[in-house]
Amino acid sequence: MEHTYQYSWIIPFIPLPVPILLGVGLLLFPTATKNLRRIWTFLSIFLLSIVMIFSLYLSIQQIFISCIHQNVWSWTINNEFSFEFGYFIDPLTSIMSILITTVGILVLIYSDNYMSHDQGYLRFFAYMGFFNTSMLGLVTSSNLIQVYFFWELVGMCSYLLIGFWFTRPVAANACQKAFVTNRVGDFGLLLGILGLYWITGSFEFQDLFEIFNNLILNNRVNLFFFTLCGFLLFVGPIAKSAQFPLHVWLPDAMEGPTPISALIHAATMVAAGIFLVARLLPLFIVIPYIMYIISLIGIITVLLGATLALAQKDIKRGLAYSTMSQLGYMMLALGMGSYRSALFHLITHAYSKALLFLGSGSIIHSMEAIVGYSPDKSQNMILMGGLTKHVPITKTAFLIGTLSLCGIPPLACFWSKDEILNDSLLFSPIFAIIACSTAGLTAFYMFRIYLLTFEGHLNTYFLNYSGKKSRSFYSLSLWGKEEEKKLNKNFGLVPLLTMNNTKRSSFFCNKTYKISNNVRNKIFITVENFGLNTRTFYYPHESDNTILFPILILLLFTLFIGAIGIPFNQEGIDFDILSKLFTPSINLLHNNSQNFVDWYEFLRNATFSVSIAFFGIFIAYCLYKPFYSSLLNLTLLNSFQKWNSKRIRWEKLINFVYNWSYNRGYIDAFFKTYLIESIRGLAKQTNFFDKRIIDGITNGVGITSFFVGEVTKYIGGSRISSYLFLYLSYVLVFLMILFFFYFEKF
Amino acid sequence: MYLVFTTNDFPWLTIIVVFPISAGSLMLFLPHRGNKVNKWYTICICILELLLTTYAFCYNFKMDDPLIQLSEDYKWINFFDFYWRMGIDGLSIGTILLTGFITTLATLAAFPVTRDSRLFHFLMLAMYSGQIGSFSSRDLLLFFIMWELELIPVYLLLAMWGGKKRLYSATKFILYTAGSSIFLLIGVLGISLYGSNEPTLNLELLANQSYPVTLEILFYIGFLIAFAVKSPIIPLHTWLPDTHGEAHYSTCMLLAGILLKMGAYGLVRINMELLPHAHSMFSPWLMVVGTIQIIYAASTSPGQRNLKKRIAYSSVSHMGFIIIGISSITDPGLNGAILQIISHGFIGAALFFLAGTSYDRIRLVYLDEMGGMAISIPKIFTMFTILSMASLALPGMSGFIAELIVFFGIITSQKYFLIFKILIIFVMAIGMILTPIYLLSMSRQMFYGYKLINVKNFSFFDSGPRELFLSISILLPIIGIGIYPDFVLSLASDKVESILSNYFYG
C-alpha cells in the first residue's frame, strides 16, 4: 500500500503524453496525425481511465486508513531560496481526482461525437488532455507555488478552449475576458502567497498551518497584515470560482464548445477555487474576519447568480449563472466552516451540472440542424420548446438534472444542499433566509429553462423566425466540412444500449455530406435539398448513442451519488463515506452535535427545503407553461399582468428583476464603462505622453540642433570674412573671460 | 595585489570573438553567384561559432568557480597599458551562449533578405563578434570598444534594410546610443585614471578599489545613463519602439534578444560590481523607476497600432523586472534578473520573429487592419499563442520563474521597509494584470475573427519548415528553462554570491 502512494506522483503525468504527441504531431506531421484521429481519442480516454482506477484505489485506501501522504522533490535549489514540487494525497485530493477523471472520461466520450465534424477535432482533444493534466496537477500539488503553477495552466486551458472557435468574434472577446479576469485573481493569489511566505517562510501546506497556528497563539503578528494576506489569497478563488465581483467571465465562457462548459466551467475548473479554499481552510479559520468575508462573498454570489439566471435567453448562459449561484453555496458553506457539506455539494453539483450541460449540448446539437449554427439561434431557448417528443432520452436526463439541482429528495443535490441550508440556519438567520429563498429561485429558474425547452411545441415554426434562418456560409464552414462521414458503429458500448438506431445519423451530417458531395456534379439535387428544407418542417432528432451514453452514466451518478453522504445506520454507529473521508480534517465550527443525526430534525428541515423548491417549481409552471409561444419576456409579462392585473407594483418588481437579469445585473456594463474605458483612456494618455512629451523632447533637441546649424550656416554664408569675424569674436570673448579671472585673482 | 593570470594553453575566447568578423570579411572573396552562397556561408559560420563556443565552454568552464575562467591577457598597446583581456564567469557565459543561439537563428531568419545580401550578412557577423566581445572582455576600454563596435552594424542594418521611416529611426538610434556612449567613455576614463599615475583598466583590480562617495556617485550616474539608454530604462526608451518598428525582423531579433541585454549586463558588471556603495544608494530609486517602467510600458503598449511597436513596449516592460531584480540586492533578485535576461532574450526574439514572418505574408503593419489570420496561417497562430503565453509569464515557461524569483528577491530583501516592499510588489503585480491585456488583445486582433483582408492573393502560405524549425528551436529552451530553471540558475549562482558579498562585508 505504501508503494502505491509512492507512485502517486504519476497521476498528473499519465494523461500528458496525448497532448504533447498531438501538439507535436499537428505542428510537424499534420496529415499523418489527422489520419489517426479516432485513435487519439481512445488513447486519451484510456489514459484517463487508468488515472480514474488509480485514484479510486487511493480513495478506497483513504476510507479505511485516512492519512496524508506527502513527498516533495526540489525544483530549484539555491542557497537563499528553494522551490519544491511534490504530491500531497489526502481525502480531498482523492475525491477531487475521482471527480475530475469520471467527468473527464464521460466528456471525452461525449465530445468524440459532438466535435466529430469539427475541423479542430484533434486540437480539441489536445487541449482537453492538457487540461486534465494540469487539473490533476492542481489537486495533487503539495505547496502553494505548485498550486499557482497549475492554477495558471488551468486558466490558460480555459482560455484556449473558450476561444476554440476562434473565427467567432464573440468567442475571441470572451476568451480574452476570461483570461484577464482570472489574471486579476492570480494577481491576488500570488500576492497572498508572497505575503504568507513573508510571514512564515514556507509554502508547504502542513508547515504553513503549523507555523500559522503558533504565530497566532503567541500573538506575534500584525493582524491587519494577516487578514490582508488571507483576503488576497482568497481573491484567486473568487476569480476562478466566479464569485461576486469577478464572476463576469463565466457566462461569456459559454462561447466555448458545450463539452468544455460541462467539464471546465461547471464541474472541475470552477471548483478549483472551492478546492483551494477547502485546502487552506485550517489557515482561514485562524485568521479573523476572513471567514465572514468568505461567507459574505458566497451569499452575495448565491443571490446574484440566481437572480441573473432568471431571464437568460441562452440555455447555456442560464446554466452558467446557475453554476455561479451553486458555487456561491459552496463558498458560503466553507465560510461557515462546514467543510464536509461544501465538498459534498461540490461533488453532487459537479455531476448534476455536467449532466445538464451535456444534455443541453445534445439539445443544441439537434437544434442546430434546424435553426442554424449560430449560437444565438441554436442555444436560444425561445426557439426551442416541445422537444419532449423529439428527444425523449435527453429530456429525461435533463429533467433529472433539473430536479436534482432544485433539491428534490432522492436526487444528489438534495442531500448536500439540505445540509448547507441547515448549517446556514445555525450560522446566521439572515444568511439562512437568503439561502433558502435562493433555493426557491433555483427551482424557479431551472424549471423555467426546462419548461421553455421541452414543453409546448417547437417554437421555431410558430414564430416568424424563419426569415432569419438563413445559414451563413461562415457558420456552416466552421462546424463541418468533413469530407467523409464516419459511421459511429465501432463503439463497443452501443449494443449494450438499446436505442432507436434508425435515427442514429443526425440530420445535419447527412445534409452536409450531400452538399459537399453534390456540389460538383449534381447541382440540381442540392438546390432541391435546400428547397425541401425550407418548405417542410424538420424536427430535431435524438442525438447519437455516443452522446447519449455519457448522459446516461451521469444520470446514474446524479441518482446515486447522494448516497455517499447519507448516513447509514450500521451497527449502532452512524456511518457515511464522506464523513469517514473527511473526519480528520473536519472543521465544524458550530455544530459539533451533528455526530448523531437527529432524524426528526432532518425530516423537518428537508420538508421545509423541499417545499420551498416545490413552490419555485409551481411558480415557474404557472408562468411558463401556458405561454409557451411567447417570444419575449415582455409579452409574458403582459400576460402575467392580465392574469393578475391588480398588482402593478408586483409587475414593476418583476419588470425590474427581468431587466436586471437580462442586463446581467448591470455589472458587465459597469465594468465596461469604468474599468475597460479607463484602461483604454490610460493607454491613450500614456501613449500621448510617450509620443508627445518624452519623444517630443528628443525630437525637439534634434530639430533645435538642426536649426542652430542652419542659422550658423546662414550667418556664415560661406564667406571667409564672416568666419574670421566669428572666430575673432569668440577669441575676444575668451580673452575677456581670462582677463577677468586674471584680475580677480590678484 | 597582483592577480596572476593562469592563461590556458589555448586562446579560446580570442578565437571565438575574432572568428565571425574575420570569416565575414572573407565573404568579399566569395564568387558573385547570388545570395545563396552568402546565406549558406554565413549560416555555416554561425553554426560553427556556436559549436565552438559550446565546446570551449563545455570542456573549459567549471561551474563551481566564481572566478574568471578562460582568461587571456595580452599586451596590446604599450604606451598606455592597454591589454587585450578576455575572460568569462558565470554572469557572462549565459549571455554569450544566448548570443550565439539568437544570432544563428537570426541569420536563419534573414533568409528572405535579398538586397545587398553580402553586406547584410557581413554586418550580422560583425555584430556577432562585437556582442561576444563586449560580454567577454575583462578590460574596461576593451569593453567600451566592443560596445561601440556593435553599434555600427546595427545602424547600417537599420538604415539600409528597414521599413519606410528607417532613416529617422536609424538616426534616432545612433544619436541615442552614441550620446550615451559619451557617458560610458567619461566613466571609463574617470575610473581608470583615478588615484594612480598610470591607467588601470583591469576589471579585477577595479573591483577592489574604493572611491570617495561623490566621485563614486558621479561615476555611477555616468554608467547608469549609458546603460539606461541601452537597457532601456524610462525615460530614455523612445529609440526602442521606433527602431524595432522599422528594422527587419532578423535585426529585431538581435536587438531584442541581445542588444537590450547588454545594458542589463553592464549594469551588473560595472555598476554593481565596481561601485557597490553608490549602487546601494541608488537602488531604491532604481526600484521605483523599474516599477514605474513596468506599468508605464505595459499601459503604453495597448495604445500602439503598430504590431512591432507593441511588442517593443512589451520588452520595455519586461526590462523593468531586470532593473528591479538588480536593484533588490539580494541573491534571488539578482538570480532572477539574470534569468530574466536569458529568458526575455528568447521570448522577445521569438515574438519579433513571428511578427515579422506574419508581416511578410500579409504586408500589413497596423493591428486594426488585420484579423482572421488564424485560418490561413494556423502554425504561426499556434506559435504566437504559445509565445505570448510565455511572455505573459505562464508557469512552465521561462518568464514565470524569472519573475517569481524577482518577486522573492524583493520579499527577502533586508534593505527596505515593509511598506515600500509591499507597494513595489503590489504595483509590479498590477503589471502582471496589464500584460495579458495587451498581449492577448494583440493576438486577438491579428488572428481571431473572420475579417477578410483586402489583398488580391488571399491565400497565404503557412510557415514552412525553416520558420517552423526556427520558432520551435526558440521555444524548446523557453520551456526547458521553465520546467527546469536550475539549468540557467546554476551557471550564475556562485558569481551572484561573490558579487553580493561586497554588499554585506564592504
Side-chain angles (χ1 to χ4, degrees):
Chain A
M1 200 202 96
E2 199 52 42
H3 62 264
T4 329
Y5 285 110
Q6 267 173 14
Y7 289 111
S8 53
W9 56 270
I10 211 169
I11 286 181
F13 293 103
I14 292 173
L16 191 60
V18 172
I20 288 178
L21 287 176
L22 263 179
V24 172
L26 282 178
L27 267 179
L28 299 180
F29 324 101
T31 30
T33 320
K34 274 176 188 161
N35 285 337
L36 293 172
R37 42 190 269 147
R38 223 42 186 298
I39 290 170
W40 292 111
T41 319
F42 283 126
L43 192 63
S44 47
I45 291 172
F46 172 69
L47 291 179
L48 209 56
S49 336
I50 292 176
V51 185
M52 183 183 76
I53 292 163
F54 195 63
S55 48
L56 208 62
Y57 177 72
L58 278 183
S59 57
I60 288 169
Q61 299 281 359
Q62 295 279 354
I63 288 175
F64 294 116
I65 309 149
S66 189
C67 53
I68 292 167
H69 281 264
Q70 188 179 7
N71 203 349
V72 288
W73 294 273
S74 69
W75 183 33
T76 63
I77 299 187
N78 206 299
N79 41 1
E80 296 242 343
F81 60 95
S82 70
F83 302 135
E84 280 162 338
F85 260 42
Y87 64 85
F88 184 89
I89 307 285
D90 69 340
L92 183 59
T93 303
S94 49
I95 284 276
M96 285 299 285
S97 51
I98 289 179
L99 181 72
I100 293 160
T101 45
T102 43
V103 179
I105 289 168
L106 294 173
V107 166
L108 280 176
I109 295 170
Y110 179 89
S111 36
D112 170 55
N113 192 295
Y114 194 85
M115 305 299 288
S116 63
H117 296 282
D118 200 289
Q119 283 189 325
Y121 178 84
L122 286 177
R123 195 161 53 96
F124 183 83
F125 277 92
Y127 290 167
M128 287 278 276
F130 195 62
F131 171 77
N132 286 327
T133 303
S134 33
M135 192 68 206
L136 287 169
L138 177 64
V139 295
T140 51
S141 43
S142 73
N143 58 33
L144 280 171
I145 289 292
Q146 205 179 345
V147 164
Y148 185 81
F149 194 100
F150 289 112
W151 190 266
E152 286 251 312
L153 285 185
V154 166
M156 184 205 67
C157 290
S158 155
Y159 164 80
L160 290 174
L161 282 163
I162 294 168
F164 183 77
W165 287 312
F166 47 74
T167 43
R168 289 182 187 169
V170 195
N173 290 333
C175 65
Q176 195 187 346
K177 188 175 181 180
F179 196 91
V180 173
T181 318
N182 271 313
R183 204 68 203 251
V184 175
D186 297 344
F187 154 83
L189 185 64
L190 184 65
L191 289 182
I193 292 172
L194 291 176
L196 283 188
Y197 179 75
W198 191 77
I199 295 171
T200 61
S202 170
F203 297 117
E204 304 293 322
F205 293 124
Q206 300 286 324
D207 301 349
L208 215 58
F209 302 151
E210 273 178 31
I211 297 171
F212 234 75
N213 278 325
N214 286 338
L215 285 177
I216 289 278
L217 282 177
N218 300 335
N219 228 345
R220 278 192 308 182
V221 272
N222 186 355
L223 273 182
F224 173 73
F225 188 62
F226 235 47
T227 320
L228 183 73
C229 283
F231 179 71
L232 284 172
L233 209 57
F234 179 55
V235 172
I238 286 182
K240 196 64 91 191
S241 290
Q243 300 296 302
F244 159 56
L246 299 176
H247 64 272
V248 284
W249 65 275
L250 186 61
D252 284 357
M254 296 300 134
E255 284 302 324
T258 314
I260 288 315
S261 311
L263 178 65
I264 298 186
H265 303 122
T268 54
M269 190 191 82
V270 287
I274 310 292
F275 164 78
L276 186 62
V277 176
R279 175 67 96 209
L280 294 176
L281 205 63
L283 197 83
F284 284 133
I285 280 176
V286 288
I287 305 177
Y289 305 117
I290 198 77
M291 295 299 269
Y292 294 107
I293 295 174
I294 292 175
S295 51
L296 188 69
I297 295 278
I299 196 81
I300 291 173
T301 315
V302 166
L303 191 63
L304 191 74
T307 50
L308 293 186
L310 286 181
Q312 296 299 325
K313 272 199 292 190
D314 187 320
I315 184 168
K316 280 173 74 183
R317 266 171 209 270
L319 289 177
Y321 277 117
S322 140
T323 307
M324 175 186 152
S325 170
Q326 301 300 316
L327 289 168
Y329 271 117
M330 296 169 212
M331 207 54 104
L332 173 68
L334 285 173
M336 293 182 308
S338 51
Y339 184 78
R340 178 182 174 275
S341 54
L343 290 175
F344 192 17
H345 197 58
L346 173 64
I347 295 160
T348 54
H349 168 255
Y351 288 116
S352 312
K353 202 37 90 50
L355 172 64
L356 282 172
F357 266 114
L358 292 189
S360 77
S362 160
I363 297 161
I364 290 164
H365 213 247
S366 38
M367 284 300 285
E368 267 161 359
I370 295 167
V371 293
Y373 291 86
S374 141
D376 284 342
K377 290 164 196 154
S378 61
Q379 302 178 11
N380 200 335
M381 284 190 288
I382 289 155
L383 299 183
M384 296 177 190
L387 292 180
T388 316
K389 281 172 271 180
H390 312 296
V391 285
I393 301 169
T394 311
K395 178 244 170 187
T396 322
F398 202 90
L399 179 64
I400 298 289
T402 309
L403 286 175
S404 161
L405 214 60
C406 297
I408 305 300
L411 300 168
C413 274
F414 159 74
W415 302 99
S416 54
K417 203 182 219 174
D418 197 52
E419 267 180 33
I420 294 178
L421 293 181
N422 283 348
D423 288 352
S424 71
L425 260 178
L426 296 172
F427 184 69
S428 141
I430 302 169
F431 280 17
I433 290 167
I434 296 174
C436 291
S437 54
T438 311
L441 276 179
T442 311
F444 175 75
Y445 67 70
M446 283 316 296
F447 257 81
R448 172 177 172 273
I449 291 172
Y450 170 76
L451 291 170
L452 279 177
T453 314
F454 290 103
E455 295 300 316
H457 300 282
L458 192 61
N459 288 331
T460 321
Y461 298 125
F462 284 100
L463 306 168
N464 292 328
Y465 245 61
S466 49
K468 285 188 182 177
K469 253 183 2 171
S470 61
R471 293 174 186 82
S472 61
F473 174 72
Y474 125 69
S475 63
L476 197 126
S477 72
L478 251 184
W479 280 71
K481 265 199 285 188
E482 200 53 44
E483 287 298 316
E484 289 178 4
K485 183 172 162 292
K486 289 189 170 129
L487 288 175
N488 305 325
K489 256 180 197 168
N490 44 358
F491 246 77
L493 302 158
V494 173
L496 293 176
L497 308 159
T498 47
M499 276 174 201
N500 43 354
N501 270 320
T502 46
K503 290 180 180 179
R504 205 185 58 215
S505 54
S506 93
F507 177 70
F508 169 61
C509 323
N510 248 338
K511 194 169 58 69
T512 3
Y513 183 51
K514 271 178 197 159
I515 292 169
S516 55
N517 241 11
N518 296 345
V519 156
R520 248 179 243 149
N521 41 11
K522 297 176 186 173
I523 302 164
F524 289 107
I525 294 176
T526 320
V527 171
E528 205 178 349
N529 271 346
F530 267 118
L532 209 100
N533 191 17
T534 42
R535 242 170 260 142
T536 47
F537 289 159
Y538 277 89
Y539 284 100
H541 288 266
E542 185 67 278
S543 303
D544 290 359
N545 289 341
T546 343
I547 283 189
L548 291 176
F549 169 70
I551 293 182
L552 289 178
I553 299 289
L554 276 175
L555 184 67
L556 291 181
F557 270 117
T558 312
L559 282 173
F560 298 115
I561 202 72
I564 64 164
I566 306 168
F568 295 106
N569 212 333
Q570 196 181 46
E571 298 162 10
I573 308 157
D574 281 319
F575 164 80
D576 61 315
I577 297 167
L578 209 63
S579 298
K580 191 104 180 164
L581 272 176
F582 292 134
T583 323
S585 46
I586 212 158
N587 280 299
L588 293 173
L589 270 185
H590 40 274
N591 45 354
N592 284 322
S593 58
Q594 193 78 3
N595 283 342
F596 41 94
V597 178
D598 191 350
W599 278 101
Y600 168 70
E601 199 180 338
F602 171 76
L603 222 69
R604 203 187 60 193
N605 287 325
T607 326
F608 179 62
S609 64
V610 169
S611 60
I612 289 174
F614 270 116
F615 181 66
I617 293 173
F618 172 71
I619 292 190
Y621 199 74
C622 291
L623 277 173
Y624 289 97
K625 179 66 178 168
F627 310 111
Y628 49 82
S629 64
S630 61
L631 167 60
L632 283 174
N633 297 321
L634 271 179
T635 50
L636 186 142
L637 280 179
N638 287 339
S639 38
F640 187 73
Q641 189 193 7
K642 274 176 214 159
W643 178 60
N644 207 343
S645 57
K646 277 180 275 179
R647 308 181 189 169
I648 294 171
R649 257 193 189 174
W650 175 238
E651 185 251 350
K652 252 185 188 169
L653 180 75
I654 280 192
N655 217 344
F656 171 73
V657 168
Y658 268 114
N659 276 331
W660 162 266
S661 165
Y662 192 70
N663 293 317
R664 304 156 166 217
Y666 305 103
I667 295 168
D668 284 38
F670 174 80
F671 277 154
K672 191 167 188 178
T673 42
Y674 290 98
L675 231 66
I676 298 174
E677 288 306 314
S678 68
I679 285 180
R680 276 196 189 138
L682 180 75
K684 246 177 211 159
Q685 275 179 358
T686 38
N687 197 18
F688 177 81
F689 180 75
D690 202 67
K691 235 183 200 148
R692 298 279 166 243
I693 298 180
I694 297 185
D695 214 16
I697 291 170
T698 321
N699 287 339
V701 169
I703 287 170
T704 324
S705 67
F706 174 73
F707 272 114
V708 168
E710 284 291 307
V711 166
T712 334
K713 195 175 89 185
Y714 180 75
I715 292 170
S718 71
R719 271 184 298 176
I720 301 225
S721 58
S722 42
Y723 284 128
L724 267 178
F725 169 70
L726 274 177
Y727 172 69
L728 285 178
S729 57
Y730 277 121
V731 167
L732 201 66
V733 169
F734 183 70
L735 281 177
M736 273 174 74
I737 292 169
L738 207 68
F739 196 64
F740 188 68
F741 275 108
Y742 185 74
F743 269 94
E744 193 121 300
K745 276 197 172 173
F746 294 100
Chain B
M1 191 179 95
Y2 186 70
L3 291 173
V4 181
F5 291 109
T6 50
T7 311
N8 275 17
D9 45 349
F10 196 72
W12 281 112
L13 280 175
T14 311
I15 286 177
I16 287 170
V17 171
V18 175
F19 176 63
I21 192 163
S22 50
S25 29
L26 284 182
M27 212 160 19
L28 205 66
F29 303 112
L30 285 179
H32 277 272
R33 283 284 168 72
N35 305 316
K36 239 180 187 170
V37 184
N38 292 332
K39 267 184 222 167
W40 285 110
Y41 179 70
T42 319
I43 289 275
C44 289
I45 296 292
C46 284
I47 292 174
L48 208 63
E49 169 85 358
L50 183 61
L51 291 178
L52 195 68
T53 321
T54 326
Y55 173 79
F57 290 175
C58 267
Y59 286 95
N60 295 317
F61 187 81
K62 290 172 202 70
M63 294 271 225
D64 47 354
D65 188 4
L67 289 175
I68 302 298
Q69 303 179 41
L70 286 171
S71 56
E72 293 161 27
D73 197 9
Y74 306 113
K75 189 127 193 173
W76 192 0
I77 300 172
N78 248 329
F79 78 96
F80 77 100
D81 217 24
F82 181 42
Y83 286 82
W84 172 269
R85 276 195 197 99
M86 291 268 167
I88 53 165
D89 56 4
L91 194 61
S92 47
I93 182 172
T95 44
I96 290 174
L97 287 174
L98 177 78
T99 310
F101 193 73
I102 297 289
T103 313
T104 311
L105 290 182
T107 324
L108 194 61
F111 251 46
V113 172
T114 49
R115 193 155 52 85
D116 264 344
S117 79
R118 177 179 295 187
L119 182 60
F120 185 92
H121 287 104
F122 170 70
L123 291 174
M124 295 289 266
L125 289 175
M127 232 171 125
Y128 203 159
S129 281
Q131 283 157 343
I132 291 189
S134 56
F135 284 131
S136 59
S137 64
R138 296 295 305 160
D139 185 283
L140 260 186
L141 199 61
L142 189 63
F143 177 75
F144 175 74
I145 289 169
M146 289 296 183
W147 180 276
E148 292 294 297
L149 178 68
E150 126 299 329
L151 289 188
I152 302 151
V154 179
Y155 173 72
L156 288 177
L157 283 173
L158 192 55
M160 296 181 70
W161 287 272
K164 277 176 193 157
K165 277 172 70 187
R166 56 176 179 268
L167 278 180
Y168 168 75
S169 15
T171 315
K172 202 170 182 179
F173 170 77
I174 202 75
L175 285 181
Y176 255 110
T177 44
S180 74
S181 296
I182 294 171
F183 291 96
L184 185 61
L185 185 62
I186 293 172
V188 166
L189 292 180
I191 274 199
S192 65
L193 293 175
Y194 172 76
S196 57
N197 290 328
E198 55 182 30
T200 32
L201 289 162
N202 193 344
L203 279 175
E204 263 92 353
L205 297 180
L206 289 171
N208 300 321
Q209 201 169 10
S210 61
Y211 308 91
V213 177
T214 14
L215 201 63
E216 194 171 340
I217 288 175
L218 276 178
F219 288 153
Y220 191 88
I221 291 174
F223 283 118
L224 182 64
I225 290 172
F227 299 133
V229 168
K230 200 64 156 223
S231 231
I233 299 174
I234 53 166
L236 301 171
H237 65 276
T238 47
W239 63 272
L240 184 94
D242 280 320
T243 310
H244 278 175
E246 296 303 320
H248 186 262
Y249 57 84
S250 57
T251 319
C252 275
M253 284 170 76
L254 289 180
L255 274 171
I258 307 154
L259 224 67
L260 305 188
K261 311 304 175 294
M262 285 174 63
Y265 172 79
L267 270 180
V268 181
R269 176 64 82 200
I270 293 182
N271 285 18
M272 268 194 92
E273 224 175 339
L274 301 190
L275 311 164
H277 300 288
H279 183 68
S280 57
M281 236 176 274
F282 271 87
S283 55
W285 301 105
L286 268 183
M287 210 173 225
V288 172
V289 169
T291 324
I292 293 172
Q293 176 167 342
I294 291 174
I295 298 295
Y296 178 83
S299 54
T300 318
S301 187
Q304 303 297 323
R305 283 179 69 214
N306 187 328
L307 167 64
K308 280 177 164 176
K309 279 193 181 180
R310 194 174 274 201
I311 304 175
Y313 273 105
S314 96
S315 345
V316 176
S317 175
H318 283 102
M319 286 296 122
F321 279 98
I322 298 183
I323 296 162
I324 291 176
I326 287 174
S327 53
S328 74
I329 325 189
T330 50
D331 190 272
L334 195 53
N335 267 317
I338 291 166
L339 191 58
Q340 174 83 333
I341 287 175
I342 307 281
S343 127
H344 183 261
F346 289 121
I347 296 171
L351 275 179
F352 276 114
F353 168 71
L354 287 173
T357 45
S358 42
Y359 170 74
D360 271 358
R361 288 173 171 75
I362 46 169
R363 298 267 147 210
L364 290 173
V365 185
Y366 295 121
L367 277 170
D368 41 11
E369 292 166 354
M370 302 181 192
M373 278 154 47
I375 310 162
S376 41
I377 42 176
K379 284 176 188 165
I380 295 181
F381 171 52
T382 317
M383 297 314 290
F384 197 90
T385 310
I386 296 173
L387 283 160
S388 46
M389 287 293 165
S391 181
L392 56 81
L394 190 85
M397 312 262 202
S398 57
F400 166 73
I401 183 73
E403 292 181 14
L404 187 72
I405 297 176
V406 171
F407 272 113
F408 273 95
I410 302 168
I411 285 231
T412 50
S413 151
Q414 308 287 328
K415 195 175 179 315
Y416 304 107
F417 296 119
L418 176 62
I419 298 294
F420 183 72
K421 285 200 274 190
I422 289 177
L423 268 180
I424 292 284
I425 287 181
F426 200 76
V427 178
M428 273 169 82
I430 288 176
M432 217 181 78
I433 302 176
L434 291 175
T435 319
I437 292 180
Y438 64 79
L439 277 170
L440 295 185
S441 71
M442 185 164 72
S443 142
R444 176 174 56 87
Q445 280 171 316
M446 279 172 76
F447 294 106
Y448 285 74
Y450 58 94
K451 187 174 161 189
L452 302 175
I453 303 158
N454 288 323
V455 183
K456 278 171 198 164
N457 187 9
F458 184 66
S459 63
F460 308 119
F461 288 106
D462 202 358
S463 52
R466 178 181 61 91
E467 288 158 334
L468 203 61
F469 169 76
L470 231 162
S471 35
I472 288 178
S473 49
I474 298 190
L475 184 64
L476 285 180
I478 293 177
I479 293 178
I481 296 173
I483 289 174
Y484 191 67
D486 269 2
F487 203 55
V488 175
L489 285 175
S490 61
L491 287 177
S493 57
D494 288 316
K495 178 66 190 168
V496 165
E497 257 177 71
S498 69
I499 290 177
L500 287 175
S501 59
N502 282 343
Y503 287 85
F504 299 120
Y505 310 113

